[in-house]
Amino acid sequence: MENKTLYLVIPCYNEESVLRETAKQLNKKMKAMILKNYISQNSKIMFVNDGSKDSTWNIIEDLNISDPIFIGLKLSRNEGHQNALLAGLMGSKKYADMVISLDADLQDDINVIENFVEEYYAGNDIVYGVRSKREKDTFFKRFTAESFYKFMKALGVDIVFNHADYRLMSKRALEALEQFKEVNLFLRGIVPLIGFKSSIVVYERNERFAGESKYPLKKMLCFAFDGITSFSVKPIRIITAIGGIIFIISTLFFIYSLIMKFLGRTVVGWTSIVCSIWMIGGIQLLCLGIIGEYIGKIYSEVKARPKYIIEKRLSENIISNNEKPKSTV
Ligand code: UDP
Ligand code: MG
């Protein structure tokens, strides 16, 4: 079997304290795989510098000089993890047959890289790295992260439980990904939309061995909120539903207060105030929801996501126009 070219894509933001060690370990891993002829000699390790403020880029340049297996991509400013990752994926898809994305801090166990490649050779276009357990996370991180996955599922977003951005994608999966033109990019949600044959590799996530997390609570919340709002119009539906319910309640209340009024059991002015509060509140929410529905439609239109992705073409077998069929007498 002909071996294929593997690219590792690693977004880096202020990672000077971990980068050299990461590079050393990844290099060892890749060289071993190349030696076994498991992957091609053209395989590379690509670092994407996401506008770091420290010496990260200098380190990447040094690495590149010391060994051509290291290549680098420098973004003009800090664009965030997801965009840096995408830049790396798109930048490598021309040269690579498969790309694995991972973090610079080696929290993702690099010993399973071979398992990813194995799954690729077994015919999978996308291989998700799934964390077996989260023992090493703080309770808070574990709780928030797992709630997030559950919440996304509940909102009908198809994401892989406990999968972050440690994944392998084949060339054609990357080409399909390129067709997603949206600006608010949430890779974990989009990749499953690509389809194709996929599988998972289970691994244990380690602690960051140096430096600190670039995802403080604020960024994490923004990330979660982005993820939810760029995939689901359910929040709008919920508003519509609440509006509808309140409207029904208000109608019943209206009847009730009219009865009370005619039975003379009310204070003057009570009926009209109570009815208007409920009625108008309900109608307003309902209207907001309906307007929201239209905004939801606009929202999915402006995203202009591809409507389908072709997995296979059989046209190779069809005789093309300039090729005359042999006459069969
Ligand atoms: N990262 C990035 N740009 C950012 C923030 C983070 O490229 O604005 C990179 C970072 O260098 C690392 C990866 O994204 O390689 C994941 O970040 P981190 O390890 O800090 O997140 P955590 O593992 O704590 O969720
Ligand atoms: Mg990390």
Side-chain angles (χ1 to χ4, degrees):
M1 182 175 50
E2 194 199 339
N3 58 17
K4 301 281 184 166
T5 305
L6 168 69
Y7 268 51
L8 301 181
V9 168
I10 302 134
C12 311
Y13 177 57
N14 297 345
E15 298 287 10
E16 60 181 8
S17 55
V18 299
L19 208 52
R20 284 188 195 277
E21 179 60 27
T22 300
K24 203 171 97 193
Q25 292 192 26
L26 289 176
N27 192 8
K28 212 168 116 203
K29 193 91 219 160
M30 292 290 272
K31 289 284 161 63
M33 287 164 76
I34 292 173
L35 209 66
K36 280 195 287 181
N37 230 354
Y38 199 46
I39 53 173
S40 109
Q41 294 180 349
N42 303 326
S43 299
K44 301 277 179 205
I45 302 171
M46 179 195 267
F47 293 106
V48 183
N49 177 31
D50 185 17
S52 300
K53 292 179 185 69
D54 61 4
S55 64
T56 299
W57 180 246
N58 299 339
I59 298 176
I60 297 173
E61 281 179 327
D62 283 355
L63 287 169
N64 176 249
I65 293 167
S66 71
D67 190 330
I69 195 170
F70 298 112
I71 53 176
L73 201 66
K74 188 181 184 197
L75 304 189
S76 59
R77 54 185 281 263
N78 181 249
E79 301 281 5
H81 175 216
Q82 299 284 295
N83 288 317
L85 193 54
L86 191 74
L89 294 178
M90 292 302 131
S92 52
K93 94 175 177 317
K94 206 168 132 198
Y95 314 99
D97 295 305
M98 57 187 142
V99 178
I100 298 178
S101 50
L102 63 164
D103 286 3
D105 51 17
L106 293 192
Q107 282 186 291
D108 306 320
D109 182 9
I110 63 167
N111 293 315
V112 298
I113 288 182
E114 268 158 317
N115 304 20
F116 277 97
V117 178
E118 207 170 293
E119 292 291 332
Y120 169 81
Y121 282 133
N124 291 292
D125 279 280
I126 301 171
V127 187
Y128 300 99
V130 172
R131 304 172 57 169
S132 54
K133 44 187 180 247
R134 285 179 172 264
E135 271 170 10
K136 288 179 181 137
D137 274 349
T138 58
F139 170 76
F140 179 72
K141 175 109 188 181
R142 187 167 65 214
F143 177 75
T144 47
E146 289 191 344
S147 320
F148 171 68
Y149 287 109
K150 286 185 187 141
F151 189 57
M152 290 292 275
K153 264 259 145 61
L155 287 179
V157 184
D158 182 19
I159 62 175
V160 180
F161 193 70
N162 268 348
H163 158 68
D165 284 302
Y166 192 20
R167 78 175 82 78
L168 177 144
M169 292 177 80
S170 69
K171 196 189 206 80
R172 68 171 182 170
L174 290 170
E175 275 161 5
L177 178 67
E178 200 179 21
Q179 295 178 45
F180 287 81
K181 302 289 183 203
E182 56 205 79
V183 180
N184 287 312
L185 199 76
F186 186 69
L187 280 173
R188 283 170 220 187
I190 290 178
V191 175
L193 295 182
I194 294 175
F196 293 145
K197 196 168 168 231
S198 68
S199 71
I200 61 167
V201 162
V202 179
Y203 71 101
E204 242 176 84
R205 191 162 154 114
N206 306 315
E207 268 168 88
R208 191 178 243 282
F209 68 88
E212 53 193 37
S213 173
K214 310 294 182 294
Y215 265 107
L217 181 63
K218 195 175 139 221
K219 262 200 191 168
M220 239 162 67
L221 286 177
C222 285
F223 184 65
F225 194 71
D226 266 355
I228 292 161
T229 50
S230 40
F231 270 87
S232 177
V233 284
K234 277 222 174 136
I236 295 175
R237 295 270 150 81
I238 294 169
I239 296 177
T240 318
I242 295 174
I245 292 167
I246 293 185
F247 186 68
I248 293 170
I249 296 176
S250 74
T251 315
L252 297 177
F253 211 80
F254 184 69
I255 298 168
Y256 166 78
S257 48
L258 274 188
I259 295 172
M260 284 300 146
K261 186 180 163 64
F262 287 120
L263 292 178
R265 294 199 200 144
T266 56
V267 196
V268 178
W270 177 80
T271 319
S272 53
I273 287 176
V274 157
C275 286
S276 31
I277 289 174
W278 278 83
M279 274 284 192
I280 293 185
I283 292 171
Q284 271 179 344
L285 265 185
L286 195 61
C287 292
L288 266 185
I290 291 169
I291 295 171
E293 285 288 326
Y294 286 100
I295 294 181
K297 295 262 152 37
I298 297 171
Y299 156 90
S300 44
E301 288 296 330
V302 293
K303 272 203 187 149
R305 282 186 184 169
K307 287 186 202 60
Y308 51 81
I309 285 159
I310 294 165
E311 172 151 4
K312 228 176 224 160
R313 277 180 213 277
L314 287 176
S315 53
E316 282 87 2
N317 299 336
I318 297 168
I319 303 160
S320 69
N321 281 344
N322 15 357
E323 207 181 318
K324 295 262 156 49
K326 289 191 192 99
S327 58
T328 44
V329 186

